[in-house]
Amino acid sequence: MMKAAIINAYGGSEQLVVAEQAIPHIQQDEVLVENMATSINPIDYKARQGLMQGMFQWQFPVTLGWDIAGRIVAVGQDVTNFKVGDAVFARPDIDPTGRNGSYAEYTVVKADKLAFKPENITFKQAAAVPLAALTALQMLEKLQVKAGHKVLIQAGAGGVGIYAIQLAKLMGAYVATTASQANHDFVASLGADQVIDYHAYQIQDVLSDYDAVFDMVGDIDNGIHILKDGGHLVTISAQLTAQQQQTPNKTITTGWLDTNGKDLTTLADYITKNQLQIVVDSIYPLTTEGMRAAHQRSETHHARGKIVVEIKKETV
């Protein structure tokens, strides 16, 4: 048996309870990871509220969570590139039953979703990477960001935005971002060339002729307005109208993460070379009170970086 944070019904953070659950079994192409840490993403509390029922027919009790960092304790017979004892991190596939989440001491992961944890970061730092950084990398690729492009990244101080700013700069782009006044120096330290206080200014009053817009706040029409002809906008936070999708001379799409170990290894290489900074907002324990507090912190939308859950203490 193992400890896991589960929900037995959809609703508020009070639905989260840490309880004993069975350790999941692996298939031939999977490994079992003993988790050292996981992290909180906005999709977690949305799933807890029941907003993903249209996509997934989960069976209670549901274990949420989609970031793992830990050590492999068992491997399936078809797995050849990982072994017991390897330190790894991943964003696992979403379990169609809702049982195999990462808010647990053990999680099953398909081997093709894994990457080796960079040696220069802790497990807690590694847990802050997969979902957010993979999303940032893949959405920037979807936007076809190239050297010399002007890119707007909405919500630069958030979990995805932090990585998106840094990755866009690594791609050679000029980066504008939105942030509160309190976060201006922070996002500038990540490489943002221009910071817009969203409390004081509308983006369309400040920016124009942009090659790409990465939307994480649902500000679609204004994002379209600042695009040049041939520009791209991708959103991960809004449903597009038919009119928005059919904007003349501009490509307007939604984005969804395609988790895979290859892209995660690319990110691991950046981290190993100290080219990608990991920002942890806060750390909570895997307890009922800790998990509820972590979700409440996420729902404030004021976290600067990733909210991490420590599952096991690391020994140096």
Side-chain angles (χ1 to χ4, degrees):
M1 299 294 284
M2 65 175 183
K3 282 197 308 181
I6 61 170
I7 59 171
N8 287 297
Y10 294 120
S13 59
E14 73 280 355
Q15 296 295 340
L16 286 159
V17 178
V18 172
E20 292 286 316
Q21 296 287 292
I23 296 174
H25 297 289
I26 60 173
Q27 303 297 318
Q28 294 177 342
D29 61 345
E30 296 174 333
V31 306
L32 182 66
V33 176
E34 182 178 19
N35 296 324
M36 299 292 289
T38 184
S39 79
I40 310 294
N41 295 285
I43 194 175
D44 298 13
Y45 69 75
K46 293 173 184 177
R48 188 204 71 223
Q49 293 168 346
L51 300 180
M52 294 177 68
Q53 291 181 74
M55 298 174 63
F56 303 104
Q57 300 302 307
W58 289 332
Q59 302 149 26
F60 292 111
V62 169
T63 303
L64 299 172
W66 293 286
D67 278 316
I68 66 161
R71 295 190 184 277
I72 295 174
V73 293
V75 297
Q77 64 186 46
D78 293 345
V79 177
T80 58
N81 48 343
F82 294 96
K83 65 183 187 301
V84 171
D86 283 343
V88 294
F89 65 144
R91 193 287 209 170
D93 292 315
I94 296 177
D95 178 14
T97 70
R99 300 293 173 89
N100 185 47
S102 67
Y103 293 179
E105 293 181 307
Y106 296 90
T107 303
V108 167
V109 189
K110 288 195 179 297
D112 65 357
K113 304 303 186 291
L114 289 169
F116 293 107
K117 180 187 80 66
E119 293 182 1
N120 59 330
I121 60 172
T122 66
F123 284 103
K124 290 190 287 291
Q125 289 174 307
V129 174
L131 189 151
L134 282 170
T135 300
L137 177 66
Q138 292 180 3
M139 295 310 110
L140 291 172
E141 289 174 345
K142 191 178 179 76
L143 288 167
Q144 301 179 22
V145 173
K146 296 178 176 63
H149 276 190
K150 293 199 298 184
V151 181
L152 169 66
I153 294 164
Q154 292 275 34
V160 176
I162 284 169
Y163 293 115
I165 290 170
Q166 296 180 81
L167 290 167
K169 291 303 296 179
L170 286 168
M171 294 172 180
Y174 175 93
V175 176
T177 191
T178 56
S180 66
Q181 186 65 45
N183 281 323
H184 274 216
D185 290 345
F186 169 61
V187 293
S189 75
L190 297 173
D193 298 289
Q194 184 173 356
V195 187
I196 299 152
D197 181 354
Y198 59 83
H199 292 298
Y201 301 99
Q202 298 286 320
I203 58 170
Q204 71 273 20
D205 296 332
V206 182
L207 307 177
S208 62
D209 243 19
Y210 265 61
D211 298 279
V213 172
F214 182 7
D215 173 75
M216 289 176 269
V217 298
D219 191 17
I220 308 300
D221 289 335
N222 291 332
I224 292 171
H225 182 81
I226 71 165
L227 281 179
K228 64 169 60 170
D229 281 353
H232 293 71
L233 179 148
V234 64
T235 181
I236 59 170
S237 67
Q239 296 293 320
L240 297 173
T241 65
Q243 183 178 3
Q244 289 168 339
Q245 289 173 299
Q246 293 158 15
T247 302
N249 305 318
K250 299 174 183 180
T251 304
I252 315 300
T253 58
T254 55
W256 184 260
L257 171 63
D258 173 28
T259 183
N260 67 82
K262 180 174 171 289
D263 285 347
L264 192 54
T265 298
T266 297
L267 293 165
D269 290 342
Y270 283 134
I271 293 166
T272 298
K273 295 171 184 173
N274 293 310
Q275 293 177 312
L276 199 59
Q277 181 182 344
I278 299 165
V279 182
V280 174
D281 172 82
S282 46
I283 300 171
Y284 295 85
L286 183 68
T287 62
T288 296
E289 296 75 16
M291 295 306 299
R292 291 175 179 177
H295 269 230
Q296 289 161 11
R297 175 64 179 162
S298 182
E299 289 181 83
T300 66
H301 305 291
H302 292 308
R304 179 189 282 188
K306 291 303 301 292
I307 301 163
V308 170
V309 176
E310 184 175 58
I311 297 173
K312 284 189 169 62
K313 291 283 185 186
E314 297 184 43
T315 54
V316 178

